[in-house]
Amino acid sequence: MAQHAKGPAVAVIQLRNPPLNTLSLAVLQALQDGLEKADADPSVKAVMICGENGKFSAGADIRGFSSPNRHGPSLAALVSLIESSKKPVVAAIEGIALGGGLEVALGCHYRVAHVKARMGLPEVTLGLLPGAEGTQRLPRLIGVPAALDMITTGKHISASEALKLGLVDEVVEANTVEAAMHLANQVIGQPLGPRRLSLRPVPPLPDTDGFLRAARLRVRERARGCLAPELCVQAVRAATELPFSAGVRRERELFVELLSSGQARALQYAFFAERAVRRWSAPGGAASHGAGPRPLRSAAVIGLGTMGRGIVTCLVKANIPVVALEQNLEYLDVGRKAVMLLLEREAKKMEQDAQALDFHNPARLQFTVDFDLLRDVDLVIEAVFEDMALKKEIFHKLSRICKPEALLCTNTSALDIDEIASATSRPQQVIGTHFFSPAHVMRLLEIIYGRHTSPTAIATAMQLARALRKVGVVVGNCFGFVGNRMMFPYVEQAVFLLEEGSRPEEVDQVLEDFGFKIGPFRMSDLAGLDVGWRSRQGQGLTGPSVPAGTPARQRRGRRYSPVPDLLCESGRFGQKSGTGWYRYERAGGRTATPDPWVHSLLAQYRHTHGIRPRRIDQEEILERCLFALINEGFAILAEGIAAGPEHLDVIYINGYGWPRHRGGPMFYAATVGLPRVLARLQHHSQAHPDVPGLRPSAFLEKLVAMGNPPLKEWMSYLSQQSPRL
């Protein structure tokens, strides 16, 4: 609720709805009552609006978005009521003013912010636009370019940036409420017309129409099929072309269009799914509500390759002192230089937000080749090469050196956690922490428990994810865990499509048009083709360990494509070598160009193996790649490797570039309809009986037989939960 208080001349209205003062119906009603009371009281000369417990407001309650016809005052009407007050209204912004919270502040005549406050209009990230006149008021206050940037990205800005833009009138380091009260007393009696944003014109640009047309193209390219950013541009255009009241009507029309688009539902599902995965369960009935983490006061990272460098950067940014270890002085020197370069870049970014990064202090970051310096750390993250023997050797050494309660983490993308743990005398302290590259940028942390991993170890790993500002998802132990295990059939189908007549750029284009940031072949070039090649060699799928006489296109009774192996044998490892599935301007280049050499190789390969190429349409490419991935997801759920479909969706959105506005692979399957997914898998499986990845999962078949229940009910249809969870 909103609390009202009154000083000698200034009425105070405090937004109160812990923990973030969201604008529930009760809060809106109390705010309206407070404003009307203050307006009617002749002894009140000004009004100050603030939030309880050092937070202004995080905006509207997301669950209320889907109910636009709720009873009670609307937020837009409240903002208009604030602005039309005959007495000056001052907002005291502390902590956060987001979404509807910032729109309330825009209705106020003056805004005072604490130096650490952050502001933003993040509705676009939920598939919507600011629907309480924010798209009409903000451009009038700070101009079209800055307003468009905030509205179409949903980014949060600091108080200092808000001051530069003119979004706030004053920034204070001390008591914000006192400063707002002081300002309110100063402005009593001053004309309010110039402070009412609805009466202001939008500051003109030399070519407003040209700017907005270019912005729309930029936004469309960046959004890759997401509707909200483009409709945000349309709403801001309305502010530049229409009177305020007509612009508000246009904003409302666009808001309703987004609300009914399906994308808003997907994006809001993703928002809540990220919160749901904070709860975890593990063998023996252990769960997040009953396990507490150990303190994380210090950490060590072993291996300063690409992943290790990123992990060190994450830890330093989280203010966790780090010991960084390499096997020899030469590697240590290379690693140190790379880490310091990364940290310098991060420090520059943080300086823009008035934050400091202390990384030159040896007490915060130490480089060494001496394992003995790891004796007292609370946590060790091993980030060496994906080699089981090497990892076991390191864990055996850690078991002897580290203190008994230290958490021993392995950054592996597929290897068996239990086998790594077997090299130690404390398997209960061993856990997988699968970071994604670049580790200091990617939000996902896949946390893998083994047979003996303790609940405390899992809780501590989840605490690490929170400290690093990552989304931690707890999963069980199997080859590839969740993310990579689902990725194998996706990439496999992509390669089979090449054998049958497609080209890498055609497959990539279809999947990028669907919304992936990059398609499977550009992704493979980025990661390095040699990574998968080494893995296949280790599995005995290629190289000298393959028995003589084995058919080129078959392994262990199932279809196999040697095309990626042929590329690697020709020294084509992707961006790092300058050639892979594509050609690049140089080794280490980033610009992918379709390569006639690959087209020629594929034509020759088809001729050698008697494959008659055919034209493959977009629908088949999408179905075979996506439905194979989804099918593996159902198998993972049936085995109890993940606790629910939202875990798989959060992993794919945050780690594998799945388009957020499509809600994740399992949400997408529910949207398409499980009967259709099953029917198409059956069709493709009949056409390719030697591809197990296309054979429908028994769990998928069961869900269809049970009448295609909603996603939230899927897990209740498992005949019994695996003992893993």
Side-chain angles (χ1 to χ4, degrees):
M1 298 189 63
Q3 272 196 333
H4 326 120
K6 195 171 69 175
V10 181
V12 176
I13 300 177
Q14 187 180 61
L15 307 173
R16 190 173 71 177
N17 186 15
L20 298 173
N21 300 325
T22 49
L23 301 171
S24 64
L25 275 176
V27 170
L28 293 179
Q29 187 62 61
L31 180 55
Q32 178 176 316
D33 294 346
L35 287 163
E36 288 172 348
K37 196 173 174 186
D39 238 15
D41 187 340
S43 69
V44 171
K45 306 299 181 191
V47 178
M48 190 270 291
I49 300 176
C50 62
E52 188 182 55
N53 292 332
K55 294 178 180 70
F56 189 73
S57 173
D61 184 346
I62 292 170
R63 288 182 175 87
F65 282 155
S66 55
S67 329
N69 302 317
R70 305 175 302 173
H71 298 296
S74 76
L75 180 54
L78 251 295
V79 174
S80 290
L81 184 67
I82 294 168
E83 189 190 79
S84 62
S85 169
K86 298 179 182 67
K87 299 165 184 179
V89 183
V90 181
I93 301 171
E94 295 178 299
I96 49 172
L98 300 175
L102 183 57
E103 287 175 301
V104 165
L106 288 170
C108 298
H109 307 115
Y110 298 89
R111 287 158 290 280
V112 177
H114 188 268
V115 68
K116 290 188 177 172
R118 298 189 70 76
M119 287 149 264
L121 293 170
E123 288 87 347
V124 69
T125 64
L126 297 168
L128 297 169
L129 52 75
E133 307 176 1
T135 65
Q136 304 305 295
R137 280 196 175 81
L138 192 63
R140 286 171 161 80
L141 180 61
I142 65 173
V144 169
L148 207 54
D149 183 40
M150 283 183 69
I151 293 168
T152 59
T153 63
K155 73 178 186 181
H156 300 182
I157 64 168
S158 66
S160 57
E161 190 176 348
L163 185 64
K164 282 180 201 159
L165 292 173
L167 178 52
V168 297
D169 301 290
E170 192 180 329
V171 170
V172 296
E173 292 188 23
N175 190 314
T176 316
V177 169
E178 279 182 17
M181 292 285 279
H182 179 69
L183 178 60
N185 276 299
Q186 279 187 313
V187 297
I188 289 168
Q190 291 189 15
L192 292 175
R195 306 298 305 185
R196 292 188 174 119
L197 297 179
S198 65
L199 303 181
R200 284 194 195 180
V202 174
L205 294 170
D207 180 8
T208 301
D209 179 62
F211 177 85
L212 287 167
R213 271 189 282 112
R216 188 173 180 177
L217 287 174
R218 274 197 315 276
V219 159
R220 183 182 291 173
E221 188 179 343
R222 189 179 67 217
R224 286 204 169 278
C226 188
L227 291 172
E230 196 173 334
L231 266 63
C232 285
V233 177
Q234 291 182 38
V236 172
R237 177 179 280 281
T240 68
E241 295 176 346
L242 302 172
F244 185 81
S245 58
V248 166
R249 284 196 297 275
R250 180 64 178 143
E251 176 190 87
R252 190 68 200 157
E253 288 166 8
L254 293 167
F255 184 88
V256 170
E257 183 181 336
L258 285 171
L259 200 58
S260 58
S261 69
Q263 289 192 5
R265 194 166 68 90
L267 285 157
Q268 287 162 45
Y269 161 82
F271 177 87
F272 288 115
E274 284 186 8
R275 277 139 191 83
V277 300
R278 292 172 186 167
R279 300 185 297 275
W280 53 266
S281 53
S288 48
H289 56 79
R294 294 195 65 83
L296 290 174
R297 291 174 295 249
S298 59
V301 176
I302 300 175
L304 293 176
T306 303
M307 292 305 296
R309 296 164 189 174
I311 295 167
V312 170
T313 303
C314 289
L315 291 162
V316 172
K317 283 182 71 179
N319 285 318
I320 299 172
V322 192
V323 178
L325 184 139
E326 253 298 357
Q327 60 178 303
N328 62 42
L329 290 169
E330 183 189 345
Y331 284 172
L332 186 72
D333 189 49
V334 171
R336 179 197 282 116
K337 285 175 182 166
V339 167
M340 298 310 268
L341 189 62
L342 276 179
L343 287 168
E344 278 160 17
R345 285 183 196 150
E346 291 301 307
K348 279 179 187 162
K349 289 181 201 167
M350 289 172 72
E351 278 167 17
Q352 292 169 5
D353 287 342
Q355 294 173 284
L357 188 61
D358 178 18
F359 61 95
H360 290 292
N361 181 351
R364 311 292 308 168
L365 176 58
Q366 191 173 0
F367 294 90
T368 187
V369 292
D370 185 0
F371 266 86
D372 279 343
L373 291 181
L374 310 190
R375 284 189 185 281
D376 294 320
V377 297
D378 296 318
L379 168 99
V380 179
I381 301 171
E382 163 274 306
V384 302
F385 202 66
E386 284 283 77
D387 179 277
M388 180 60 84
L390 176 59
K391 287 182 185 282
K392 286 173 78 171
E393 180 189 329
I394 288 169
F395 272 76
H396 180 67
K397 197 179 282 190
L398 292 174
S399 185
R400 285 188 291 105
I401 290 170
C402 294
K403 63 187 182 185
E405 65 273 24
L407 186 65
L408 307 182
C409 308
T410 175
N411 174 53
T412 176
S413 56
L415 298 180
D416 186 351
I417 303 300
D418 289 326
E419 187 175 345
I420 293 169
S422 72
T424 76
S425 58
R426 49 172 105 167
Q428 74 281 2
Q429 294 296 102
V430 176
I431 196 163
T433 48
H434 179 200
F435 287 80
F436 287 73
S437 185
H440 60 294
V441 174
M442 297 294 282
R443 289 184 71 221
L444 180 64
L445 183 61
E446 200 176 23
I447 294 168
I448 309 99
Y449 57 80
R451 194 179 299 116
H452 303 289
T453 306
S454 72
T456 300
I458 300 172
T460 307
M462 283 295 278
Q463 179 63 29
L464 172 69
R466 280 191 290 277
L468 302 183
R469 296 187 177 179
K470 293 189 182 294
V471 180
V473 185
V474 175
V475 301
N477 182 29
C478 62
F479 185 72
F481 317 130
V482 166
N484 282 346
R485 177 170 161 182
M486 289 172 72
M487 183 56 56
F488 295 144
Y490 167 84
V491 172
E492 181 181 64
Q493 286 304 312
V495 176
F496 290 164
L497 288 162
L498 298 191
E499 289 189 336
E500 295 164 34
S502 282
R503 290 179 166 185
E505 57 271 23
E506 292 168 352
V507 175
D508 279 353
Q509 190 62 56
V510 168
L511 289 156
E512 287 166 16
D513 288 345
F514 176 79
F516 276 95
K517 291 188 177 82
I518 54 174
F521 296 107
R522 284 179 61 208
M523 180 181 70
S524 181
D525 274 1
L526 177 64
L529 276 71
D530 52 324
V531 176
W533 190 35
R534 277 196 302 271
S535 175
R536 292 189 297 276
Q537 287 170 330
Q539 295 171 68
L541 295 172
T542 188
S545 60
V546 177
T550 301
R553 299 180 60 231
Q554 198 173 70
R555 295 291 184 276
R556 300 164 193 166
R558 56 181 289 170
R559 182 173 168 186
Y560 177 82
S561 176
V563 173
D565 303 331
L566 296 174
L567 264 66
C568 291
E569 286 163 16
S570 300
R572 299 177 70 98
F573 298 135
Q575 290 183 2
K576 64 177 75 171
S577 64
T579 57
W581 294 107
Y582 293 90
R583 201 159 27 89
Y584 298 87
E585 66 275 23
R586 55 182 167 74
R590 292 283 182 268
T591 308
T593 307
D595 194 344
W597 186 95
V598 173
H599 302 159
S600 174
L601 172 81
L602 289 169
Q604 189 181 338
Y605 175 87
R606 293 178 196 126
H607 177 74
T608 301
H609 295 285
I611 302 168
R612 192 171 178 181
R614 61 188 178 88
R615 189 186 165 279
I616 299 172
D617 62 24
Q618 294 181 12
E619 189 176 18
E620 182 177 350
I621 291 171
L622 272 183
E623 285 181 355
R624 283 178 59 185
C625 290
L626 300 186
F627 290 178
L629 180 152
I630 287 163
N631 194 42
E632 194 66 35
F634 281 110
I636 284 167
L637 292 177
E639 292 170 29
I641 297 294
E646 59 278 339
H647 290 66
L648 279 54
D649 288 337
V650 169
I651 284 171
Y652 260 77
I653 288 168
N654 289 288
Y656 292 86
W658 182 280
R660 195 176 180 89
H661 64 272
R662 294 190 185 271
M666 308 318 282
F667 181 91
Y668 176 70
T671 306
V672 170
L674 301 191
R676 175 167 173 78
V677 175
L678 176 60
R680 298 313 295 160
L681 280 168
Q682 288 168 334
H683 168 80
H684 294 303
S685 184
Q686 284 165 6
H688 306 280
D690 55 350
V691 182
L694 293 172
R695 223 168 282 149
S697 150
F699 185 33
L700 170 60
E701 290 176 328
K702 180 174 186 175
L703 289 171
V704 173
M706 298 306 291
N708 188 27
L711 177 143
K712 65 182 181 217
E713 294 175 16
W714 287 358
M715 300 309 284
S716 67
Y717 286 89
L718 279 177
S719 53
Q720 58 180 47
Q721 286 283 15
S722 158
R724 288 176 184 277
L725 290 170

